[in-house]
Amino acid sequence: GSVADGEGGVVVDWSSTNPRGKVLCAFPNLSLLLDTLVSQLELELPGGFRIGDTVIFKAAFENEDGSVADGEGGVVVDWSSTNPRGKVLCAFPNLSLLLDTLVSQLELELPGGFRIGNTVIFRGALRGEVVGRSLWNPESQVLCKFLNHAGMLDVPSGELILEDPVAASRMGVLSSTSPRPFTSGSSERGSVSLS
């Protein structure tokens, strides 16, 4: 079997060869456990989020420490200590504390400002849908499924055009609120939890 770059797996035990720098991992296409350097792994948080992901908040929150509007952009900064299977900690520009957020209240913003479900045109001819983050180049590409094309393709976000927003909104493809850009502040903040 083999393991591809970016493929998901599960840490199952400490390494017997180097318990301080390696762990044993199970991967779907590999029949043996892989003795893996911790530095070669990236943790996936609940909802498939990763630390550093830009997200869009799909609710509204306000307290004495600030507010987060529906559609506002933020950044995933850590695991939730209150619910590590269903929440992540996020930083938002108008909130002085980190927000302990349900993953169902977040939407991943992909390179180019695209979101999962956006209808796009590629090279002026192929019409398709954004289905997720790129497996090979998540900093500049998005994963798309195109009509009349088998499989999915990693596509540079700069080569995609968002379908006419007026037509797309009539089809229910686009949100009526566009995201506000996020500018990162200090991650050294307290946190507040959403129930």
Side-chain angles (χ1 to χ4, degrees), residues 7 17 25 34 46 74-75 88 95 125 129 142 168 181-182 191:
E7 185 174 341
T17 62
C25 296
L34 187 61
V75 172
V88 293
L95 189 63
E129 180 180 350
V142 295
F182 176 75
S191 69

Side-chain angles (χ1 to χ4, degrees), residues 55-56 68-74 94 109 115 177-183:
V55 291
I56 305 301
V68 184
D70 185 15
E72 188 168 342
N94 297 318
E109 185 174 62
R115 297 185 190 182
T177 56
S178 58
R180 291 182 266 276
F182 176 75
T183 52

Side-chain angles (χ1 to χ4, degrees), residues 22-94:
K22 287 185 168 185
V23 290
L24 290 176
C25 296
F27 292 94
N29 296 320
L30 198 59
S31 58
L32 302 171
L33 296 178
L34 187 61
D35 200 17
T36 311
L37 288 168
V38 172
S39 62
Q40 293 178 315
L41 300 174
E42 182 177 1
L43 294 177
E44 188 170 272
L45 303 173
F49 293 108
R50 298 176 183 163
I51 292 173
D53 277 348
T54 300
V55 291
I56 305 301
F57 191 56
K58 300 188 304 183
F61 175 81
E62 186 173 353
N63 73 5
E64 63 276 359
D65 298 305
S67 64
V68 184
D70 185 15
E72 188 168 342
V75 172
V76 175
V77 296
D78 209 347
W79 293 86
S80 165
S81 59
T82 63
N83 181 356
R85 292 179 180 240
K87 291 182 173 183
V88 293
L89 280 177
C90 295
F92 292 95
N94 297 318

Side-chain angles (χ1 to χ4, degrees), residues 56-174:
I56 305 301
F57 191 56
K58 300 188 304 183
F61 175 81
E62 186 173 353
N63 73 5
E64 63 276 359
D65 298 305
S67 64
V68 184
D70 185 15
E72 188 168 342
V75 172
V76 175
V77 296
D78 209 347
W79 293 86
S80 165
S81 59
T82 63
N83 181 356
R85 292 179 180 240
K87 291 182 173 183
V88 293
L89 280 177
C90 295
F92 292 95
N94 297 318
L95 189 63
S96 61
L97 299 175
L98 298 176
L99 191 59
D100 196 12
T101 312
L102 291 165
V103 295
S104 62
Q105 294 177 318
L106 298 172
E107 182 178 348
L108 181 65
E109 185 174 62
L110 299 165
F114 291 102
R115 297 185 190 182
I116 294 171
N118 281 157
T119 301
V120 292
I121 307 297
F122 178 53
R123 295 190 176 162
L126 289 174
R127 183 175 185 266
E129 180 180 350
V130 176
V131 295
R133 79 170 80 231
S134 166
L135 301 175
W136 306 110
N137 192 350
E139 292 80 30
S140 65
Q141 295 183 338
V142 295
L143 190 62
C144 295
K145 172 75 176 134
F146 293 99
L147 300 173
N148 303 321
H149 189 279
M152 292 180 268
L153 298 173
D154 274 340
V155 179
S157 63
E159 294 185 33
L160 292 172
I161 298 170
L162 190 60
E163 187 176 62
D164 176 12
V166 174
S169 66
R170 274 185 263 142
M171 296 169 47
V173 175
L174 297 177

